[in-house]
Amino acid sequence: MGFDVDQEILEDFLVEAGEILEQLSEQLVDLEQRPDDRDLLNAIFRGFHTVKGGAGFLQLDAMVECCHKAENLFDLLRNGELTISPELMDVVLQALDAVNSMFESVRQGREPEHASAALLQRLIDFAELKGAAAPAAAAKPVAPPPAAAVAAPPAAANPNTPNDEFDLLLGDLAGVNEIADLDDDESDLITEDEFEALLDELHGPGGAPGKQEEPLRRRTTRKPIAT
């Protein structure tokens, strides 16, 4: 399989994405023990997002598709709109296995195959709250207060928490639509500079594993993901 990108960029992706996928495997094991750990949920979300961004840069549609759906699921989990269940964890682990298989195909120079339609549909079902995991707030519906009792929000309130800072960065870099379908999500396309900025956010400036001392040649144009 040939990639219409600089070979150094491909090698950088293999190093960085490989490290992130190893971390995701460990983090998902930890998540089964700490399902309410918001920091851990954020880290898993960022991992899938970063791999998706690098795969999109290389036009690896199969990896983008699977990572995108897993990312959407963890966006709901970290925001408390969905809760962890054994059924959900089973689907997420299957998704990671599929991404790892695709990554190995890329490492060997082969075009990765798409995840099974059944797996992709289960990821969609959970994200649309159709799976076995129920929304976190569904058990205690709260009636809205009378209109007269609704107070205006403070003008100086800051809506951004520390956990939102990475979302703001992603919005600045790639204009990510959080729950968009893959076909409509052109924001998955990022430049190498943007991809490395995401890695710096994860590891700290210059701290990413396998980082070369000399900067890679910058790509100035984007390649659209094939549809």
mmCIF file of all heavy atoms in Angstrom, residues 60-97:
data_model
loop_
_atom_site.group_PDB
_atom_site.id
_atom_site.type_symbol
_atom_site.label_atom_id
_atom_site.label_comp_id
_atom_site.label_asym_id
_atom_site.label_seq_id
_atom_site.Cartn_x
_atom_site.Cartn_y
_atom_site.Cartn_z
ATOM 1 N N LEU A 60 -6.696 7.145 6.278
ATOM 2 C CA LEU A 60 -7.004 5.781 6.711
ATOM 3 C C LEU A 60 -8.459 5.764 7.167
ATOM 4 O O LEU A 60 -8.775 5.818 8.353
ATOM 5 C CB LEU A 60 -6.054 5.354 7.836
ATOM 6 C CG LEU A 60 -4.562 5.391 7.477
ATOM 7 C CD1 LEU A 60 -3.713 5.089 8.709
ATOM 8 C CD2 LEU A 60 -4.246 4.409 6.354
ATOM 9 N N ASP A 61 -9.355 5.675 6.205
ATOM 10 C CA ASP A 61 -10.779 5.839 6.478
ATOM 11 C C ASP A 61 -11.317 4.850 7.511
ATOM 12 O O ASP A 61 -12.152 5.197 8.344
ATOM 13 C CB ASP A 61 -11.589 5.680 5.183
ATOM 14 C CG ASP A 61 -11.243 6.750 4.151
ATOM 15 O OD1 ASP A 61 -10.467 7.664 4.484
ATOM 16 O OD2 ASP A 61 -11.750 6.666 3.023
ATOM 17 N N ALA A 62 -10.862 3.605 7.451
ATOM 18 C CA ALA A 62 -11.372 2.581 8.366
ATOM 19 C C ALA A 62 -11.051 2.936 9.814
ATOM 20 O O ALA A 62 -11.901 2.809 10.704
ATOM 21 C CB ALA A 62 -10.799 1.215 7.998
ATOM 22 N N MET A 63 -9.819 3.395 10.083
ATOM 23 C CA MET A 63 -9.429 3.774 11.438
ATOM 24 C C MET A 63 -10.188 5.003 11.890
ATOM 25 O O MET A 63 -10.621 5.089 13.049
ATOM 26 C CB MET A 63 -7.918 4.019 11.513
ATOM 27 C CG MET A 63 -7.074 2.768 11.375
ATOM 28 S SD MET A 63 -5.306 3.089 11.661
ATOM 29 C CE MET A 63 -5.304 3.334 13.435
ATOM 30 N N VAL A 64 -10.356 5.972 10.984
ATOM 31 C CA VAL A 64 -11.095 7.183 11.323
ATOM 32 C C VAL A 64 -12.516 6.827 11.737
ATOM 33 O O VAL A 64 -13.036 7.323 12.745
ATOM 34 C CB VAL A 64 -11.114 8.155 10.124
ATOM 35 C CG1 VAL A 64 -12.078 9.314 10.389
ATOM 36 C CG2 VAL A 64 -9.715 8.692 9.846
ATOM 37 N N GLU A 65 -13.160 5.958 10.973
ATOM 38 C CA GLU A 65 -14.556 5.600 11.227
ATOM 39 C C GLU A 65 -14.735 4.972 12.606
ATOM 40 O O GLU A 65 -15.610 5.368 13.375
ATOM 41 C CB GLU A 65 -15.024 4.636 10.145
ATOM 42 C CG GLU A 65 -16.472 4.191 10.281
ATOM 43 C CD GLU A 65 -16.881 3.228 9.180
ATOM 44 O OE1 GLU A 65 -16.074 2.341 8.827
ATOM 45 O OE2 GLU A 65 -18.012 3.363 8.682
ATOM 46 N N CYS A 66 -13.907 3.985 12.921
ATOM 47 C CA CYS A 66 -14.051 3.281 14.195
ATOM 48 C C CYS A 66 -13.670 4.174 15.379
ATOM 49 O O CYS A 66 -14.369 4.222 16.392
ATOM 50 C CB CYS A 66 -13.205 2.009 14.172
ATOM 51 S SG CYS A 66 -13.603 0.841 15.497
ATOM 52 N N CYS A 67 -12.558 4.911 15.252
ATOM 53 C CA CYS A 67 -12.140 5.805 16.329
ATOM 54 C C CYS A 67 -13.166 6.906 16.559
ATOM 55 O O CYS A 67 -13.419 7.304 17.703
ATOM 56 C CB CYS A 67 -10.780 6.425 16.003
ATOM 57 S SG CYS A 67 -9.376 5.307 16.156
ATOM 58 N N HIS A 68 -13.766 7.388 15.481
ATOM 59 C CA HIS A 68 -14.754 8.457 15.597
ATOM 60 C C HIS A 68 -15.957 8.013 16.418
ATOM 61 O O HIS A 68 -16.442 8.738 17.284
ATOM 62 C CB HIS A 68 -15.190 8.878 14.194
ATOM 63 C CG HIS A 68 -16.169 10.010 14.174
ATOM 64 N ND1 HIS A 68 -15.825 11.299 14.514
ATOM 65 C CD2 HIS A 68 -17.481 10.049 13.856
ATOM 66 C CE1 HIS A 68 -16.883 12.085 14.413
ATOM 67 N NE2 HIS A 68 -17.908 11.351 14.012
ATOM 68 N N LYS A 69 -16.426 6.807 16.174
ATOM 69 C CA LYS A 69 -17.596 6.310 16.904
ATOM 70 C C LYS A 69 -17.254 6.016 18.360
ATOM 71 O O LYS A 69 -18.061 6.259 19.266
ATOM 72 C CB LYS A 69 -18.162 5.082 16.192
ATOM 73 C CG LYS A 69 -18.864 5.461 14.887
ATOM 74 C CD LYS A 69 -19.356 4.255 14.116
ATOM 75 C CE LYS A 69 -20.263 4.685 12.957
ATOM 76 N NZ LYS A 69 -19.665 5.688 12.069
ATOM 77 N N ALA A 70 -16.053 5.495 18.617
ATOM 78 C CA ALA A 70 -15.630 5.275 20.001
ATOM 79 C C ALA A 70 -15.449 6.603 20.725
ATOM 80 O O ALA A 70 -15.817 6.754 21.899
ATOM 81 C CB ALA A 70 -14.328 4.474 20.025
ATOM 82 N N GLU A 71 -14.900 7.587 20.031
ATOM 83 C CA GLU A 71 -14.715 8.919 20.604
ATOM 84 C C GLU A 71 -16.061 9.527 21.001
ATOM 85 O O GLU A 71 -16.202 10.099 22.091
ATOM 86 C CB GLU A 71 -14.013 9.795 19.571
ATOM 87 C CG GLU A 71 -13.925 11.263 19.926
ATOM 88 C CD GLU A 71 -13.535 12.098 18.722
ATOM 89 O OE1 GLU A 71 -14.005 11.810 17.598
ATOM 90 O OE2 GLU A 71 -12.765 13.045 18.919
ATOM 91 N N ASN A 72 -17.049 9.403 20.133
ATOM 92 C CA ASN A 72 -18.377 9.932 20.456
ATOM 93 C C ASN A 72 -18.938 9.293 21.721
ATOM 94 O O ASN A 72 -19.563 9.956 22.550
ATOM 95 C CB ASN A 72 -19.336 9.674 19.288
ATOM 96 C CG ASN A 72 -19.091 10.596 18.115
ATOM 97 O OD1 ASN A 72 -18.399 11.601 18.236
ATOM 98 N ND2 ASN A 72 -19.639 10.244 16.964
ATOM 99 N N LEU A 73 -18.721 7.988 21.860
ATOM 100 C CA LEU A 73 -19.214 7.275 23.027
ATOM 101 C C LEU A 73 -18.571 7.809 24.306
ATOM 102 O O LEU A 73 -19.252 8.046 25.317
ATOM 103 C CB LEU A 73 -18.915 5.781 22.853
ATOM 104 C CG LEU A 73 -19.681 4.795 23.722
ATOM 105 C CD1 LEU A 73 -21.181 4.937 23.514
ATOM 106 C CD2 LEU A 73 -19.243 3.370 23.394
ATOM 107 N N PHE A 74 -17.256 8.039 24.261
ATOM 108 C CA PHE A 74 -16.568 8.529 25.455
ATOM 109 C C PHE A 74 -16.851 10.002 25.718
ATOM 110 O O PHE A 74 -16.708 10.461 26.851
ATOM 111 C CB PHE A 74 -15.065 8.247 25.360
ATOM 112 C CG PHE A 74 -14.723 6.867 25.798
ATOM 113 C CD1 PHE A 74 -14.622 5.836 24.874
ATOM 114 C CD2 PHE A 74 -14.564 6.568 27.143
ATOM 115 C CE1 PHE A 74 -14.356 4.539 25.276
ATOM 116 C CE2 PHE A 74 -14.288 5.282 27.560
ATOM 117 C CZ PHE A 74 -14.187 4.264 26.628
ATOM 118 N N ASP A 75 -17.272 10.728 24.707
ATOM 119 C CA ASP A 75 -17.709 12.099 24.954
ATOM 120 C C ASP A 75 -18.963 12.101 25.821
ATOM 121 O O ASP A 75 -19.099 12.915 26.741
ATOM 122 C CB ASP A 75 -17.978 12.799 23.619
ATOM 123 C CG ASP A 75 -18.167 14.293 23.790
ATOM 124 O OD1 ASP A 75 -17.416 14.900 24.583
ATOM 125 O OD2 ASP A 75 -19.067 14.850 23.142
ATOM 126 N N LEU A 76 -19.886 11.164 25.543
ATOM 127 C CA LEU A 76 -21.085 11.035 26.368
ATOM 128 C C LEU A 76 -20.744 10.561 27.776
ATOM 129 O O LEU A 76 -21.299 11.048 28.767
ATOM 130 C CB LEU A 76 -22.063 10.059 25.715
ATOM 131 C CG LEU A 76 -22.684 10.486 24.379
ATOM 132 C CD1 LEU A 76 -23.474 9.330 23.769
ATOM 133 C CD2 LEU A 76 -23.583 11.700 24.563
ATOM 134 N N LEU A 77 -19.833 9.603 27.877
ATOM 135 C CA LEU A 77 -19.456 9.066 29.183
ATOM 136 C C LEU A 77 -18.807 10.127 30.061
ATOM 137 O O LEU A 77 -19.144 10.267 31.243
ATOM 138 C CB LEU A 77 -18.502 7.879 28.998
ATOM 139 C CG LEU A 77 -19.124 6.589 28.461
ATOM 140 C CD1 LEU A 77 -18.030 5.621 28.003
ATOM 141 C CD2 LEU A 77 -20.002 5.924 29.519
ATOM 142 N N ARG A 78 -17.883 10.882 29.501
ATOM 143 C CA ARG A 78 -17.162 11.869 30.323
ATOM 144 C C ARG A 78 -18.056 13.026 30.728
ATOM 145 O O ARG A 78 -17.787 13.717 31.710
ATOM 146 C CB ARG A 78 -15.928 12.372 29.577
ATOM 147 C CG ARG A 78 -16.225 13.266 28.399
ATOM 148 C CD ARG A 78 -14.987 13.522 27.566
ATOM 149 N NE ARG A 78 -15.271 14.449 26.490
ATOM 150 C CZ ARG A 78 -14.521 15.525 26.219
ATOM 151 N NH1 ARG A 78 -13.465 15.786 26.947
ATOM 152 N NH2 ARG A 78 -14.830 16.305 25.208
ATOM 153 N N ASN A 79 -19.137 13.263 29.963
ATOM 154 C CA ASN A 79 -20.077 14.327 30.302
ATOM 155 C C ASN A 79 -21.250 13.836 31.138
ATOM 156 O O ASN A 79 -22.203 14.576 31.379
ATOM 157 C CB ASN A 79 -20.588 14.993 29.017
ATOM 158 C CG ASN A 79 -19.526 15.839 28.348
ATOM 159 O OD1 ASN A 79 -18.771 16.533 29.015
ATOM 160 N ND2 ASN A 79 -19.449 15.772 27.031
ATOM 161 N N GLY A 80 -21.201 12.569 31.571
ATOM 162 C CA GLY A 80 -22.234 12.047 32.454
ATOM 163 C C GLY A 80 -23.546 11.736 31.776
ATOM 164 O O GLY A 80 -24.551 11.519 32.454
ATOM 165 N N GLU A 81 -23.566 11.674 30.444
ATOM 166 C CA GLU A 81 -24.798 11.376 29.730
ATOM 167 C C GLU A 81 -24.986 9.873 29.511
ATOM 168 O O GLU A 81 -26.025 9.444 29.015
ATOM 169 C CB GLU A 81 -24.806 12.099 28.382
ATOM 170 C CG GLU A 81 -24.737 13.611 28.512
ATOM 171 C CD GLU A 81 -24.654 14.291 27.163
ATOM 172 O OE1 GLU A 81 -25.518 14.006 26.309
ATOM 173 O OE2 GLU A 81 -23.732 15.099 26.956
ATOM 174 N N LEU A 82 -23.998 9.099 29.872
ATOM 175 C CA LEU A 82 -24.034 7.651 29.715
ATOM 176 C C LEU A 82 -23.209 7.057 30.837
ATOM 177 O O LEU A 82 -22.290 7.703 31.352
ATOM 178 C CB LEU A 82 -23.423 7.276 28.352
ATOM 179 C CG LEU A 82 -23.761 5.923 27.734
ATOM 180 C CD1 LEU A 82 -25.257 5.810 27.450
ATOM 181 C CD2 LEU A 82 -22.982 5.736 26.442
ATOM 182 N N THR A 83 -23.551 5.847 31.270
ATOM 183 C CA THR A 83 -22.802 5.192 32.339
ATOM 184 C C THR A 83 -22.176 3.904 31.848
ATOM 185 O O THR A 83 -22.658 3.274 30.894
ATOM 186 C CB THR A 83 -23.714 4.879 33.541
ATOM 187 O OG1 THR A 83 -24.831 4.092 33.084
ATOM 188 C CG2 THR A 83 -24.225 6.157 34.182
ATOM 189 N N ILE A 84 -21.072 3.529 32.500
ATOM 190 C CA ILE A 84 -20.362 2.302 32.151
ATOM 191 C C ILE A 84 -21.198 1.094 32.551
ATOM 192 O O ILE A 84 -21.814 1.049 33.609
ATOM 193 C CB ILE A 84 -18.998 2.240 32.871
ATOM 194 C CG1 ILE A 84 -18.093 3.378 32.391
ATOM 195 C CG2 ILE A 84 -18.330 0.898 32.651
ATOM 196 C CD1 ILE A 84 -17.650 3.255 30.964
ATOM 197 N N SER A 85 -21.205 0.087 31.689
ATOM 198 C CA SER A 85 -21.839 -1.198 31.985
ATOM 199 C C SER A 85 -20.962 -2.291 31.386
ATOM 200 O O SER A 85 -20.123 -2.019 30.521
ATOM 201 C CB SER A 85 -23.250 -1.266 31.374
ATOM 202 O OG SER A 85 -23.172 -1.379 29.963
ATOM 203 N N PRO A 86 -21.115 -3.536 31.831
ATOM 204 C CA PRO A 86 -20.327 -4.625 31.224
ATOM 205 C C PRO A 86 -20.555 -4.721 29.724
ATOM 206 O O PRO A 86 -19.610 -4.992 28.967
ATOM 207 C CB PRO A 86 -20.844 -5.869 31.956
ATOM 208 C CG PRO A 86 -21.334 -5.368 33.280
ATOM 209 C CD PRO A 86 -21.914 -4.009 32.995
ATOM 210 N N GLU A 87 -21.777 -4.495 29.277
ATOM 211 C CA GLU A 87 -22.074 -4.588 27.844
ATOM 212 C C GLU A 87 -21.354 -3.493 27.069
ATOM 213 O O GLU A 87 -20.798 -3.732 25.991
ATOM 214 C CB GLU A 87 -23.586 -4.489 27.607
ATOM 215 C CG GLU A 87 -24.388 -5.645 28.161
ATOM 216 C CD GLU A 87 -24.685 -5.512 29.647
ATOM 217 O OE1 GLU A 87 -24.347 -4.457 30.239
ATOM 218 O OE2 GLU A 87 -25.271 -6.451 30.219
ATOM 219 N N LEU A 88 -21.351 -2.295 27.620
ATOM 220 C CA LEU A 88 -20.677 -1.192 26.954
ATOM 221 C C LEU A 88 -19.166 -1.438 26.905
ATOM 222 O O LEU A 88 -18.522 -1.205 25.867
ATOM 223 C CB LEU A 88 -20.994 0.116 27.661
ATOM 224 C CG LEU A 88 -20.468 1.398 27.005
ATOM 225 C CD1 LEU A 88 -21.424 2.561 27.253
ATOM 226 C CD2 LEU A 88 -19.079 1.759 27.528
ATOM 227 N N MET A 89 -18.590 -1.890 28.009
ATOM 228 C CA MET A 89 -17.158 -2.171 28.028
ATOM 229 C C MET A 89 -16.787 -3.234 27.001
ATOM 230 O O MET A 89 -15.742 -3.154 26.349
ATOM 231 C CB MET A 89 -16.731 -2.624 29.432
ATOM 232 C CG MET A 89 -16.663 -1.514 30.453
ATOM 233 S SD MET A 89 -15.513 -0.169 30.004
ATOM 234 C CE MET A 89 -13.984 -1.077 29.765
ATOM 235 N N ASP A 90 -17.643 -4.234 26.826
ATOM 236 C CA ASP A 90 -17.382 -5.281 25.846
ATOM 237 C C ASP A 90 -17.300 -4.687 24.441
ATOM 238 O O ASP A 90 -16.402 -5.026 23.661
ATOM 239 C CB ASP A 90 -18.479 -6.339 25.910
ATOM 240 C CG ASP A 90 -18.239 -7.481 24.937
ATOM 241 O OD1 ASP A 90 -17.202 -8.157 25.054
ATOM 242 O OD2 ASP A 90 -19.091 -7.694 24.047
ATOM 243 N N VAL A 91 -18.213 -3.772 24.124
ATOM 244 C CA VAL A 91 -18.218 -3.141 22.804
ATOM 245 C C VAL A 91 -16.974 -2.267 22.616
ATOM 246 O O VAL A 91 -16.344 -2.277 21.550
ATOM 247 C CB VAL A 91 -19.501 -2.314 22.610
ATOM 248 C CG1 VAL A 91 -19.434 -1.498 21.327
ATOM 249 C CG2 VAL A 91 -20.720 -3.219 22.574
ATOM 250 N N VAL A 92 -16.607 -1.499 23.649
ATOM 251 C CA VAL A 92 -15.438 -0.622 23.552
ATOM 252 C C VAL A 92 -14.157 -1.446 23.358
ATOM 253 O O VAL A 92 -13.293 -1.085 22.549
ATOM 254 C CB VAL A 92 -15.335 0.256 24.807
ATOM 255 C CG1 VAL A 92 -14.000 0.988 24.841
ATOM 256 C CG2 VAL A 92 -16.480 1.268 24.838
ATOM 257 N N LEU A 93 -14.032 -2.538 24.084
ATOM 258 C CA LEU A 93 -12.847 -3.390 23.931
ATOM 259 C C LEU A 93 -12.784 -4.005 22.533
ATOM 260 O O LEU A 93 -11.707 -4.127 21.946
ATOM 261 C CB LEU A 93 -12.847 -4.483 25.001
ATOM 262 C CG LEU A 93 -12.572 -3.995 26.426
ATOM 263 C CD1 LEU A 93 -12.853 -5.103 27.437
ATOM 264 C CD2 LEU A 93 -11.138 -3.501 26.573
ATOM 265 N N GLN A 94 -13.943 -4.370 21.986
ATOM 266 C CA GLN A 94 -13.975 -4.872 20.614
ATOM 267 C C GLN A 94 -13.546 -3.793 19.623
ATOM 268 O O GLN A 94 -12.828 -4.069 18.654
ATOM 269 C CB GLN A 94 -15.377 -5.360 20.262
ATOM 270 C CG GLN A 94 -15.790 -6.654 20.951
ATOM 271 C CD GLN A 94 -17.193 -7.085 20.539
ATOM 272 O OE1 GLN A 94 -17.539 -7.074 19.369
ATOM 273 N NE2 GLN A 94 -18.004 -7.450 21.519
ATOM 274 N N ALA A 95 -13.972 -2.563 19.889
ATOM 275 C CA ALA A 95 -13.588 -1.457 19.011
ATOM 276 C C ALA A 95 -12.080 -1.234 19.056
ATOM 277 O O ALA A 95 -11.433 -1.023 18.015
ATOM 278 C CB ALA A 95 -14.327 -0.181 19.416
ATOM 279 N N LEU A 96 -11.488 -1.284 20.251
ATOM 280 C CA LEU A 96 -10.041 -1.102 20.362
ATOM 281 C C LEU A 96 -9.309 -2.243 19.671
ATOM 282 O O LEU A 96 -8.287 -2.020 19.006
ATOM 283 C CB LEU A 96 -9.624 -1.002 21.827
ATOM 284 C CG LEU A 96 -8.125 -0.782 22.054
ATOM 285 C CD1 LEU A 96 -7.656 0.522 21.410
ATOM 286 C CD2 LEU A 96 -7.807 -0.768 23.555
ATOM 287 N N ASP A 97 -9.813 -3.468 19.805
ATOM 288 C CA ASP A 97 -9.201 -4.597 19.099
ATOM 289 C C ASP A 97 -9.224 -4.363 17.590
ATOM 290 O O ASP A 97 -8.243 -4.658 16.880
ATOM 291 C CB ASP A 97 -9.942 -5.898 19.426
ATOM 292 C CG ASP A 97 -9.637 -6.411 20.821
ATOM 293 O OD1 ASP A 97 -8.641 -5.945 21.426
ATOM 294 O OD2 ASP A 97 -10.390 -7.264 21.318
#
